[in-house]
Amino acid sequence: MTIMITYRSTPTTKLTDSEIEQCSDLFSNHYGTYGADDPKGRFGNRIRMKPDFYKARYVRDNYHVALAIDSDRIVGQAFYIREKLNEGVYTWVLQLVVHKDYRRRGIAGRLLHSIWGFSNDCAWGLATTNPFTVKTLESATLRHADPKQIKEHMALVKEICGRIPYIQELFIDDTRSKAFTDFFVETDALSNYPLLNEFNMILGKLDPGEEWIAFTFRDQDYDEDFIEELKKAISYSEDVLKEAYGRMDMGTHSWAGHTSEEIDSIESIIGPMGGLEILDGGCGHGRHSLEIARRNPTSRVTGMDFSESNIERAKESQGDLTNVEFKVGDLKEPVNGRFDLVLCLYDVVGSFPRIEDNEIILGNLHECCKDGGSLVLSVMNMESTLAIAKRENIVNVDEHPEVLFGLPASDIMQTTGNIFDPDHFVVDRIHGIVYRKEQFAEEGSLPSEYVIRDRRFTMEEITSLVESAGFRVVLSRYVQSGRWDVPLDAKDKRAKEILIVADK
């Protein structure tokens, strides 16, 4: 059975009672037991945190939790503090635990990546007796926890640790970085692991009641030891893709302001839409679906999007329209129903960097399109992208992933939607993928940064893909938003989209 783990990060103040109970159960049953030196005589007993403890200690401003979820069950969690100091933003992991049946699958690392992504924090830290947790911190931040570095940042370390209620006394010098936390956890199960001896040498041998204090810092160099972890971090972008698109405020995006003109263009190409069964795949906030439904009372329009928040917004705009239905659905899965017209506009094909995913989407659209029906598709234009890209930002990212370190982040997806700003993207022409660093922030929260990838196409590539799915291309042109009736040159900076119309 394939297990599909999803990841999300949320302020602890937004956790439901049920989620807090699940977090309590996960920790209490899968974290560990008290050690032989526990002064309260609890040796061998499970360390437990009850729901009331979480509510009293962890449900606070600036406290967040990253969750790994299998179906509706929480199987991994990382509680953390993220707040701003004079030196910048720091993150401290309060608790990291993964269900014993889900270990050795990289879940802990992905939880930390979901917290930080590529955020430019000044420091990342945690306290632990587990060397694998230290290793996870290092892999997630692409740097080594080094006592000499920690000592050099002593003022910052003391300020951060002074905010952590369980750190009672620090012991930091060139050969150790640990603290007395009054936490007597059993570590005998780790005694045979070479990694334990390694970190005893690096961070200092732990005495009873002590934990290692592991920090990495922004001004440390990225370490080549973690180049494979960097590649994994890039691939994790799809974990936040659904959330990213759900957070887009399309009302502020200029490209989304031409709905009426775009429907005019579609009608001029395929004819009247009255009486048709129409699918708007990847409908976003439903602007095209709603415009078609208003114009054509005899049509039946289905708007589908994989983002629940997008569908919620579409339904809010539906008003009294009864000939349009909005539902959550992933176009990588078979689509229920048969349609005379299938729309797939503004880069639904291309949002997923793997070519196989885009092939699946087009195959599913072909399957749900009636014989004699039509597909109207738009994708991002790689030729225009290359024409405006900075030369130094056109690289094979597999060979030079370090180029992403210097790429400035932006909040483009949440604000302007101008993902064609050459200051903010890297083009991997070899693989047809564009990389951006996007910042996302919930109201009142500090932004986190993630690498977002999309696939852009040449005319030859997208027409071949559409035809391979079984469609017959009848029209193809380079266009700009709102002016689909005006063909442009492939390298025109206005030609951000390729418009395809095809028959089945």
Side-chain angles (χ1 to χ4, degrees), residues 294-352:
R294 291 188 189 103
R295 294 188 186 194
N296 302 279
T298 60
S299 293
R300 291 291 309 170
V301 184
T302 300
M304 180 184 294
D305 200 278
F306 73 168
S307 167
E308 292 183 12
S309 60
N310 279 348
I311 292 299
E312 288 172 4
R313 294 187 195 185
K315 289 180 177 179
E316 290 170 1
S317 303
Q318 184 172 351
D320 296 331
L321 287 172
T322 60
N323 62 329
V324 61
E325 175 189 12
F326 292 105
K327 59 184 181 182
V328 176
D330 189 337
L331 292 176
K332 296 199 299 298
E333 301 294 332
V335 178
N336 292 327
R338 300 275 285 171
F339 302 93
D340 303 292
L341 173 62
V342 175
L343 306 180
C344 193
L345 305 174
Y346 281 100
D347 324 320
V348 177
V349 171
S351 290
F352 300 94

Side-chain angles (χ1 to χ4, degrees), residues 177-287:
S177 179
K178 58 183 185 174
F180 183 77
T181 61
D182 200 24
F183 189 45
F184 295 85
V185 65
E186 177 61 67
T187 59
D188 284 351
L190 299 171
S191 59
N192 292 326
Y193 282 100
L195 196 60
L196 178 63
N197 293 327
E198 177 184 334
F199 279 103
N200 280 338
M201 294 291 294
I202 295 172
L203 296 177
K205 186 173 177 57
L206 295 176
D207 292 321
E210 293 182 344
E211 296 181 77
W212 289 311
I213 299 299
F215 271 101
T216 58
F217 304 94
R218 177 176 58 204
D219 57 10
Q220 282 181 258
D221 291 333
Y222 295 97
D223 199 297
E224 290 187 1
D225 291 349
F226 300 114
I227 202 72
E228 292 304 316
E229 295 301 321
L230 170 61
K231 293 178 181 179
K232 289 180 185 178
I234 293 169
S235 71
Y236 296 162
S237 62
E238 289 177 37
D239 290 336
V240 298
L241 184 63
K242 188 179 300 185
E243 184 180 9
Y245 281 92
R247 288 182 177 187
M248 289 174 67
D249 183 4
M250 297 180 193
T252 65
H253 296 183
S254 60
W255 58 265
H258 308 287
T259 307
S260 180
E261 294 90 340
E262 289 163 357
I263 298 303
D264 287 343
S265 293
I266 293 173
E267 287 181 331
S268 71
I269 296 167
I270 68 166
M273 298 187 198
L276 300 182
E277 291 283 345
I278 300 170
L279 172 69
D280 184 6
C283 66
H285 296 177
R287 60 191 183 96

Side-chain angles (χ1 to χ4, degrees), residues 1-99:
M1 180 179 67
T2 301
I3 296 174
M4 297 296 294
I5 306 296
T6 59
Y7 296 82
R8 70 181 178 92
S9 184
T10 184
T12 56
T13 53
K14 294 187 177 181
L15 288 173
T16 66
D17 286 344
S18 174
E19 289 171 331
I20 291 175
E21 288 179 7
Q22 284 197 62
C23 291
S24 171
D25 288 342
L26 179 62
F27 179 89
S28 299
N29 292 312
H30 299 279
Y31 183 78
T33 60
Y34 287 101
D37 296 303
D38 179 60
K40 296 182 180 179
R42 295 170 293 185
F43 174 53
N45 292 336
R46 285 206 166 275
I47 302 169
R48 300 186 182 278
M49 286 188 180
K50 295 181 179 180
D52 286 346
F53 181 92
Y54 278 96
K55 291 178 182 179
R57 302 288 183 89
Y58 284 12
V59 179
R60 301 182 178 183
D61 293 340
N62 296 327
Y63 279 47
H64 297 71
V65 61
L67 300 173
I69 302 168
D70 179 12
S71 299
D72 294 325
R73 180 170 66 150
I74 296 172
V75 298
Q77 62 197 38
F79 282 83
Y80 62 99
I81 303 170
R82 195 156 188 264
E83 59 185 350
K84 195 170 187 178
L85 304 175
N86 289 335
E87 292 86 346
V89 175
Y90 80 90
T91 302
W92 177 271
V93 178
L94 294 157
Q95 179 189 112
L96 177 64
V97 59
V98 176
H99 190 292

